[in-house]
Amino acid sequence: MRGYISKLHHPAVRGVVKGLPLIGCLLLAVFSCWLSQTLPVQAEAVTSPKTCQIGVYLTSLRDFDPAENSFSANFWVWSVCPFETPKPLKSLKVVNSKKVSKNYTTFSRSENLSDTFKASKNLFWSQEEISATLYHNWDTKNYPFDRHVLQIPLEETQLDASSFAHAPDFANTGYPKDLDLEGWEIRDFRISQENFPYRTSFGSPAIKRELNSRSRLIISITINRESKVSFFKLVMGVYAAVALSIMALLLDEDIMGILVGNLFAVIVNLQAATSDLGSSNSVTMIDFIHIIAIIYIFITAIVLVYTRFLSESEQSHLSRYLRRRIAVPILAGSFVVINIVVISHAAIVG
């Protein structure tokens, strides 16, 4: 114990003890410098981008053109901002469009009487009417039971998403309930926001390439066909051709000319349907119905040739029996069943 106390009175130990306050001051100064360098970096990382509330009201949806992969729309778009600049409608672009025209634009500063940006006494409101023709891949594989999601993407073109982001106006975005879509009906209407990434800085030295993205509003409109009249117009000629070919087997005369005419009619009808619905990389339901019709006409021709050989070999009774009692019921019944299955599958899948 005495040895320990004597060590505390040693001159070197007393020097260290006296220097403790100085060491503490130095450590405090170093920590303060580190803290001053760290806090600004953290504050910059959590800085929120400027935000404006954007809404869309659809006034027209028309010109559905599967052959040209396009549709047209008219709509109002507006912005409500707590600041005067930037003006988001000036830098707003309709993405994936073939043609865009802006017909009417307004801008005003108003007293804030709404629940939007409650901290701001005044708000800057702008409005614009846009008419656009946009691309859309019309998948008519299950026509006329096909359903489509038409999209109108609106993107900020000047500021990165870290500097500006859209806020959808869910309350006011919509469309007239009596909107006429020429044989279609709207099943769902939504507006959403996403930051769309780009693998380029567009040459700007102020943008980090790996972090570059732009704020994008997407209006999604789900539609399906309300009228099936066009479907019956396309297939009635096919069904009539197959029916006439099968019924011709009931006759004893030469009916090869009838079959050739029916086959030609089905092929022409297929070309017309492809032109109306647009080309597709897959076999559509309409294509399948036409292909089945062509196969059945060929089968009818094969039955006709075989029974003709039987007649020429003095087996007319067997020839008549095969055509009327076997070929006609089997061909007619199987054709009806196949079409019911194909149409039912398309109606379920959509």
Side-chain angles (χ1 to χ4, degrees):
M1 188 68 177
R2 290 180 180 178
Y4 177 75
I5 294 175
S6 63
K7 289 180 181 179
L8 292 178
H9 291 282
H10 194 276
V13 175
R14 288 199 301 267
V16 173
V17 173
K18 290 180 179 180
L20 285 177
L22 180 60
I23 295 174
C25 291
L26 291 174
L27 291 175
L28 182 61
V30 172
F31 178 75
S32 299
C33 292
W34 174 82
L35 192 63
S36 63
Q37 294 295 325
T38 304
L39 287 179
V41 175
Q42 292 177 344
E44 182 180 356
V46 298
T47 300
S48 299
K50 286 187 175 182
T51 300
C52 289
Q53 192 174 65
I54 311 292
V56 173
Y57 192 80
L58 185 70
T59 58
S60 174
L61 197 61
R62 65 192 187 283
D63 299 338
F64 302 150
D65 193 346
E68 295 295 329
N69 290 324
S70 66
F71 71 96
S72 299
N74 283 31
F75 54 93
W76 288 95
V77 58
W78 62 86
S79 68
V80 181
C81 303
F83 43 78
E84 187 173 1
T85 57
K87 297 179 175 65
L89 295 193
K90 283 191 173 181
S91 56
L92 196 68
K93 176 186 177 182
V94 182
V95 183
N96 200 33
S97 59
K98 299 175 66 175
K99 180 181 178 182
V100 177
S101 61
K102 299 180 179 181
N103 306 318
Y104 179 76
T105 304
T106 59
F107 178 80
S108 65
R109 175 178 177 176
S110 306
E111 182 181 359
N112 187 9
L113 302 177
S114 66
D115 294 331
T116 305
F117 303 108
K118 294 182 179 180
S120 301
K121 182 179 180 180
N122 296 309
L123 295 177
F124 297 88
W125 173 79
S126 57
Q127 184 184 37
E128 194 169 61
E129 184 183 17
I130 297 177
S131 176
T133 300
L134 299 98
Y135 289 100
H136 176 72
N137 182 21
W138 294 88
D139 184 3
T140 55
K141 182 178 180 180
N142 295 311
Y143 170 89
F145 306 102
D146 47 331
R147 293 184 285 269
H148 302 272
V149 180
L150 307 180
Q151 290 191 339
I152 306 175
L154 307 174
E155 183 174 285
E156 166 64 30
T157 58
Q158 295 183 0
L159 298 176
D160 185 77
S162 61
S163 302
F164 179 83
H166 301 105
D169 187 353
F170 297 105
N172 295 298
T173 295
Y175 64 96
K177 299 305 178 183
D178 58 348
L179 189 64
D180 185 13
L181 299 187
E182 304 172 356
W184 296 77
E185 61 178 348
I186 296 178
R187 300 304 300 269
D188 191 27
F189 186 93
R190 298 183 182 183
I191 183 172
S192 59
Q193 186 273 343
E194 67 176 25
N195 291 334
F196 189 82
Y198 285 96
R199 294 184 177 180
T200 178
S201 63
F202 302 102
S204 173
I207 299 177
K208 292 182 179 180
R209 180 175 179 180
E210 66 273 10
L211 300 178
N212 185 31
S213 61
R214 300 290 173 88
S215 179
R216 179 179 289 189
L217 277 177
I218 300 177
I219 297 90
S220 301
I221 311 157
T222 303
I223 62 173
N224 61 1
R225 297 181 192 269
E226 189 176 30
S227 174
K228 305 296 187 292
V229 175
S230 58
F231 168 71
F232 291 105
K233 289 181 179 180
L234 288 176
V235 299
M236 285 305 295
V238 179
Y239 290 154
V242 175
L244 289 175
S245 298
I246 295 176
M247 288 190 299
L249 292 176
L250 299 174
L251 304 176
D252 293 329
E253 291 80 7
D254 185 5
I255 60 171
M256 188 59 71
I258 297 177
L259 299 183
V260 173
N262 290 338
L263 181 61
F264 179 76
V266 172
I267 294 175
V268 171
N269 197 78
L270 175 59
Q271 294 176 344
T274 303
S275 177
D276 291 341
L277 300 179
S279 59
S280 176
N281 295 325
S282 59
V283 178
T284 67
M285 185 186 72
I286 295 297
D287 295 336
F288 192 78
I289 290 175
H290 282 77
I291 292 172
I292 292 298
I294 292 172
I295 292 174
Y296 268 73
I297 293 174
F298 268 113
I299 293 175
T300 304
I302 293 172
V303 172
L304 177 63
V305 171
Y306 179 71
T307 54
R308 175 63 60 85
F309 287 147
L310 291 178
S311 298
E312 291 176 355
S313 61
E314 297 182 356
Q315 300 185 52
S316 300
H317 179 73
L318 178 59
S319 171
R320 191 177 298 110
Y321 178 81
L322 289 175
R323 283 188 297 169
R324 297 183 179 183
R325 297 300 180 91
I326 297 179
V328 170
I330 292 178
L331 290 175
S334 60
F335 184 77
V336 170
V337 170
I338 290 175
N339 276 266
I340 291 175
V341 172
V342 170
I343 295 174
S344 299
H345 176 267
I348 294 172
V349 175

